[in-house]
Amino acid sequence: MNELKLNLAYIIDDDEVIKYLTELMFKQVEFCEQSKYFKNPINALDELLKNKDDKSKLPDVILLDLRMPEMNGWEFLEKLEQNQLDIPVFIFSSSINEDDILKSQQYKLVKDYIIKPLTIHKINKILRLLS
């Protein structure tokens, strides 16, 4: 059971299977009250900017894939920082490339780099880093 009460988590990933498995894992460990899935980071960014002035509508955490069409995870992070959206982000990628891991550490919003798939151990780590 989750001690930290997260209201909303965003999953930004173009892979429907990852979305399904992540939401299943969220429910299993009661990670958050609700999750919102975005296949396209542009749509997620639009939603964030629309709700920028109402903190209650912003997510407590974002799980962000790096490799997506139209806008990749790095571009999304740049936009978050430009718009001063201070939301904890966890890179959620299948990439084990050391350059990606090191690059993620350059962003103040990025709390950690999580390699897919999500496990209970990885969720517990996210929760520890958020508390």
Side-chain angles (χ1 to χ4, degrees), residues 6-131:
L6 298 180
N7 180 44
L8 177 61
Y10 276 15
I11 305 164
I12 305 173
D13 196 314
D14 60 332
D15 186 330
E16 294 280 341
V17 173
I18 292 297
K19 170 222 186 257
Y20 174 77
L21 294 173
T22 301
E23 287 180 337
L24 199 64
M25 189 67 62
F26 280 1
K27 285 183 180 119
Q28 184 179 348
V29 299
E30 299 176 16
F31 181 75
C32 56
E33 292 292 320
Q34 59 181 326
S35 61
K36 207 164 197 182
Y37 170 69
F38 296 91
K39 190 172 189 163
N40 184 325
I42 295 170
N43 296 338
L45 188 61
D46 289 345
E47 181 87 2
L48 290 166
L49 292 174
K50 181 178 83 175
N51 295 314
K52 183 178 180 180
D53 296 324
D54 185 353
K55 300 263 187 241
S56 69
K57 293 183 180 176
L58 293 176
D60 298 304
V61 64
I62 297 172
L63 270 64
L64 176 66
D65 188 23
L66 292 177
R67 312 270 185 266
M68 294 175 283
E70 293 187 59
M71 176 187 279
N72 66 38
W74 304 122
E75 293 165 324
F76 178 83
L77 281 168
E78 292 292 333
K79 296 286 186 188
L80 272 187
E81 288 189 352
Q82 286 170 10
N83 287 284
Q84 299 175 338
L85 287 161
D86 192 20
I87 301 165
V89 175
F90 288 82
I91 301 296
F92 186 48
S93 178
S94 53
S95 169
I96 57 171
N97 184 325
E98 189 66 28
D99 290 339
D100 285 339
I101 295 168
L102 291 173
K103 184 174 181 176
S104 75
Q105 295 168 356
Q106 296 173 11
Y107 292 87
K108 72 177 182 74
L109 296 176
V110 175
K111 302 303 174 203
D112 202 3
Y113 191 102
I114 307 289
I115 297 171
K116 294 177 185 174
L118 197 59
T119 63
I120 290 175
H121 174 74
K122 291 174 185 175
I123 285 180
N124 287 333
K125 183 177 183 186
I126 291 171
L127 291 169
R128 274 193 314 274
L129 290 169
L130 288 174
S131 59

